[in-house]
Amino acid sequence: LDHMEQSKQELLFIEGQVEGFYGGVFVENFQSELMDEHIRTIRDSALARRQNAIEREIPALSAQEGEKPQWMPLGELVEKLSDAEQAAYDADKRVTQVQSCACKETIKTVTLINEAGDAVSDSSFVGHFHIGLNAREGDAVQLGGRGEPFLLGRYPDMVKLAREAAQDAVTKLDAASVPSGMYPVVLSSGVVCELLDAFLPAFFAKNVQAHMSVLEGRMGQQMAAEAVTLVEEPAMDGGIRCRRFDDEGRLTRRKALLEGGKLSALLYDQRSALQDGVPSGGNGFKTGFAEEVGIGYTNMVLQCGEKTMEQQLQDMGNGLLITGVSGTFAG
């Protein structure tokens, strides 16, 4: 075991209205004598920015049902990680270094409370496993890796992922350029997820309103092949981003963004919904705890077709299987 960290954080964000304007403050120190200072900060920020306040709601929801999962015992977790690391080395003698083999488990609770003392909470129990390694043959060195998010209690097969990471690195040792040309292409599921994550801001209503989205004015139009259906599933069984309400207190709900390839919905928080005169879609989320609410999303599902990867490759014939992309973060 090279490194272990256990931590607990309690963070508070207070919103207030001053003369009809919105103000907020991020609090890490809960000492009561500091509250007057926090109130002054809320007042100053509200009057300086003069952003109209929006009424928040506390939805009437019962407590979450079901037994809360617990951490994997530390000794068992270390043993699983050690087995995965060893499996990577055993998979191929050309695997020369496992750079990291790590698991992170997180229990997070979000609670909204109003001035009347009404409160509602949502909890998530998620983890992430990742292994990264090097393979060497002569002067050639290649990187390989595998990562997988999971719900606590539904741990992935770490040994299997380690072997796949080793295979990923080893198969690249003979890599060469492909002649320029027109090729049919199959994208791996990981690439599709990464591209979707980069493209999803085009569905944010605030980006459409700011003329910063290619989807502006395209509602109901064909934007993709008829086989493409993209759905947000906030209550998805096994989903790692399940929420009953967003960070503005609006209930989340299932919605199809693309249906039969046609644009059928955008993602709204309260402020963008008011601008378009529509109800909020329950997509008001904070990207960071100290940040203000913006547009976000829960579980996004690109509905599967009927063919397996093997069948798609057979149908493709001579073409390219894309297993990784670079630079999506750059837009």
Side-chain angles (χ1 to χ4, degrees):
L1 178 65
D2 179 70
H3 177 76
M4 182 190 74
E5 180 179 325
Q6 291 180 312
S7 63
K8 181 178 181 180
Q9 285 184 305
E10 292 182 310
L11 307 169
L12 179 66
F13 196 91
I14 308 174
E15 295 181 340
Q17 291 188 33
V18 182
E19 300 178 13
F21 300 118
Y22 164 87
V25 62
F26 167 57
V27 179
E28 290 182 282
N29 189 332
F30 293 178
Q31 292 180 7
S32 58
E33 58 266 26
L34 296 176
M35 285 302 160
D36 286 344
E37 179 182 340
H38 297 326
I39 292 172
R40 286 194 297 271
T41 301
I42 292 173
R43 180 179 179 82
D44 291 345
S45 67
L47 296 179
R49 296 192 310 162
R50 306 187 78 80
Q51 185 178 75
N52 291 335
I54 297 176
E55 293 292 335
R56 305 295 195 205
E57 296 183 1
I58 302 296
L61 294 173
S62 59
Q64 286 177 295
E65 299 180 354
E67 185 177 347
K68 294 183 178 180
Q70 301 298 316
W71 316 108
M72 182 183 292
L74 181 60
E76 183 179 346
L77 179 58
V78 171
E79 184 177 349
K80 284 184 175 293
L81 291 173
S82 297
D83 290 345
E85 182 181 44
Q86 189 59 50
Y89 284 119
D90 292 343
D92 196 288
K93 66 179 185 303
R94 290 169 289 182
V95 174
T96 56
Q97 182 184 23
V98 174
Q99 297 174 320
S100 66
C101 184
C103 184
K104 180 178 182 179
E105 299 173 298
T106 305
I107 296 176
K108 178 180 179 181
T109 299
V110 174
T111 301
L112 303 184
I113 307 173
N114 65 11
E115 68 275 12
D118 303 318
V120 65
S121 293
D122 246 358
S123 294
S124 62
F125 310 86
V126 298
H128 188 269
F129 167 78
H130 181 266
I131 183 168
L133 48 80
N134 294 347
R136 176 185 292 273
E137 189 170 43
D139 294 331
V141 178
Q142 290 287 357
L143 305 178
R146 283 291 184 273
E148 186 168 319
F150 59 88
L151 294 179
L152 299 193
R154 302 187 186 182
Y155 293 87
D157 187 337
M158 300 179 189
V159 167
K160 178 175 178 289
L161 290 170
R163 290 170 178 154
E164 290 177 356
Q167 183 70 11
D168 179 37
V170 167
T171 54
K172 295 176 185 175
L173 289 171
D174 295 324
S177 297
V178 176
S180 298
M182 298 292 291
Y183 294 92
V185 167
V186 171
L187 306 178
S188 72
S189 58
V191 168
V192 172
C193 289
E194 187 170 349
L195 292 174
L196 276 177
D197 193 49
F199 296 152
L200 277 170
F203 292 90
F204 292 1
K206 67 176 183 180
N207 290 337
V208 174
Q209 293 164 351
H211 313 294
M212 295 175 61
S213 170
V214 296
L215 301 182
E216 182 180 2
R218 308 294 293 275
M219 188 61 67
Q221 295 183 20
Q222 198 77 32
M223 302 302 300
E226 292 183 2
V228 176
T229 296
L230 179 64
V231 181
E232 183 186 22
E233 295 274 12
M236 174 184 173
D237 181 36
I240 62 169
R241 299 179 75 171
C242 293
R243 286 288 299 271
R244 299 183 299 164
F245 58 88
D246 67 8
D247 292 341
E248 297 182 300
R250 298 290 178 170
L251 295 177
T252 56
R253 58 180 174 84
R254 182 185 186 276
K255 58 184 76 71
L257 305 184
L258 293 172
E259 203 161 15
K262 293 182 179 180
L263 179 62
S264 52
L266 298 175
L267 301 177
Y268 284 94
D269 62 358
Q270 280 187 270
R271 201 166 293 279
S272 60
L274 283 173
Q275 184 170 334
D276 279 359
V278 299
S280 169
N283 291 104
F285 292 104
K286 292 174 176 283
T287 55
F289 190 83
E291 304 294 327
E292 293 184 9
V293 169
I295 296 179
Y297 49 89
T298 58
N299 305 296
M300 284 292 175
V301 181
L302 184 65
Q303 293 188 354
C304 295
E306 299 177 354
K307 293 183 179 180
T308 64
M309 173 66 83
E310 289 71 23
Q311 289 172 324
Q312 292 182 62
L313 293 175
Q314 287 179 0
D315 291 346
M316 178 176 68
N318 183 33
L320 299 176
L321 169 62
I322 307 300
T323 60
V325 291
S326 299
T328 53
F329 65 90

